[in-house]
Amino acid sequence: MSSPLPEIVVVAGIIPDADDRLCLSRRPDHKHQGGLWEFPGGKVEPGEALDHALARELHEELGLDGVRSIPFLTVRHRYPDLAVTLHFREVTAYTGVAHGREGQPVEWVPRAELSARAFPEANRPVAVALRLPPEWVIPPEELDETAVVEGLARLDPARQGVYLRGWSGHPAVTAACRARGLRFWVRDDAGLARREGAFGLHLSGEGLARAQREGAPAFEGLLSVACHDAGQIDAARALGADMVTLSPVRATPTHPEAAPLGWDGFDELVAGNPLVFYALGGVGPEDLATARAHGAYGVAGIRGLWPRG
């Protein structure tokens, strides 16, 4: 019987500057995952609050003071030799000039260039999440096209993206997304996603099954997958997906026959999978903090997120 892996808890900071570049530091060659770039931070002491731990680490590593932060994403990952829980926090305030107080290289990197950096595997979901909105809105399919276009005009491109699902093939709807500057996903059809300039391609259950038979679709943008269990998550990883919607967290009128995962079940499925997860099913913006505490980056839905009135 193999011995359990050593486990550590780490907190790391997503630190923007005035030009919205992000601070990265390079791990010393002699340490675990040495030579790779990472978001600065370090180990959490037993009983230490996460915001205090991050403030302490950023002072020790970078010479920053007055650090304030909010939760961004939690990743639970198992390396061959180590189990690690990483609490990533978005830094909202600090004073000082970041520099490598321990001799480590420190650089400010534009968000668009993050994908070119070599990160430890547990950091990769964060690099993806930094390109994504925290809310993933699904327009109701019972509306008419005019009502959908009017609803899209009330969404906030900074914090909301749109999964067009049944509206994927409607030119007026995709045009409204582009005009509003909304990141949007289409369903299953890679050719349509390319033609419409979609930010993402989302594979339904049918689309996932097809991709397992035929291979990952040819699409240069972000690939996301609808998942309900561990097997589908494994399949999404095998396809090279960036993002997963995991549902249902709670019972919904749309799928009353589906047994809800609950937050504990959601957490259990997310743990150890280096993907960006959205909680779907009976959730809304008010659940974002809870979702992030259980390993999700964002929340997704129809009734809880579509603008009313």
Side-chain angles (χ1 to χ4, degrees), residues 15 23-26 40 57-65 94-108:
I15 312 167
C23 185
L24 299 181
S25 60
R26 191 163 62 81
E57 286 288 344
L58 296 187
H59 172 75
E60 294 173 359
E61 287 193 15
L62 302 179
L64 301 181
D65 293 305
Y94 64 89
T95 60
V97 177
H99 58 284
R101 295 186 70 184
E102 299 172 348
Q104 74 277 29
V106 172
E107 293 186 16
W108 292 93

Side-chain angles (χ1 to χ4, degrees), residues 120-304:
E121 190 173 3
N123 278 229
R124 290 173 191 163
V126 180
V128 174
L130 285 164
R131 301 164 51 205
L132 294 171
E135 297 177 16
W136 206 65
V137 184
I138 306 171
E141 294 184 22
E142 67 270 16
L143 298 180
D144 61 31
E145 188 175 84
T146 299
V148 171
V149 170
E150 290 175 351
L152 293 172
R154 298 199 296 274
L155 297 182
D156 178 0
R159 65 181 179 85
Q160 294 173 310
V162 185
Y163 172 37
L164 296 180
R165 198 161 70 175
W167 296 98
S168 297
H170 290 246
V173 174
T174 52
C177 288
R178 289 192 295 269
R180 182 70 175 139
L182 291 163
R183 288 159 285 187
F184 67 93
W185 284 248
V186 302
R187 180 179 181 171
D188 290 340
D189 190 333
L192 176 64
R194 289 192 298 270
R195 291 193 299 274
E196 293 290 350
F199 181 83
L201 172 67
H202 186 66
L203 300 184
S204 65
E206 291 180 1
L208 175 59
R210 186 181 310 114
Q212 287 179 281
R213 294 191 304 269
E214 302 174 2
F219 180 65
E220 296 74 27
L222 186 137
L223 179 63
S224 61
V225 177
C227 293
H228 308 284
D229 56 39
Q232 290 178 326
I233 294 172
D234 289 344
R237 289 185 62 177
L239 289 174
D242 305 290
M243 167 188 148
V244 160
T245 59
L246 183 56
S247 66
V249 176
R250 300 187 179 112
T252 67
T254 309
H255 300 286
E257 75 289 350
L261 297 169
W263 287 116
D264 289 342
F266 183 96
D267 200 317
E268 183 177 340
L269 288 172
V270 166
N273 286 297
L275 296 164
V276 177
F277 285 87
Y278 280 72
L280 172 64
V283 299
E286 69 279 3
D287 296 300
L288 181 59
T290 301
R292 289 189 169 180
H294 289 85
Y297 166 68
V299 291
I302 306 172
R303 292 165 182 80

Side-chain angles (χ1 to χ4, degrees), residues 1-5:
M1 184 174 178
S2 60
S3 300
L5 293 177

Side-chain angles (χ1 to χ4, degrees), residues 11-88:
V11 64
I14 299 166
I15 312 167
D17 69 0
D19 297 317
D20 202 33
R21 299 176 303 174
L22 298 175
C23 185
L24 299 181
S25 60
R26 191 163 62 81
R27 292 184 62 78
D29 291 336
H30 68 278
K31 288 192 175 182
H32 184 268
Q33 301 284 297
L36 301 179
W37 292 91
E38 65 179 355
F39 298 94
K43 292 182 183 179
V44 179
E45 300 296 336
E48 189 177 22
L50 294 176
D51 57 342
H52 293 169
L54 183 61
R56 174 182 54 74
E57 286 288 344
L58 296 187
H59 172 75
E60 294 173 359
E61 287 193 15
L62 302 179
L64 301 181
D65 293 305
V67 172
R68 287 185 287 174
S69 63
I70 57 176
F72 182 79
L73 181 66
T74 295
V75 177
R76 296 173 180 87
H77 189 68
R78 297 176 70 86
Y79 292 103
D81 56 345
L82 182 69
V84 58
T85 297
L86 296 104
H87 297 282
F88 294 92

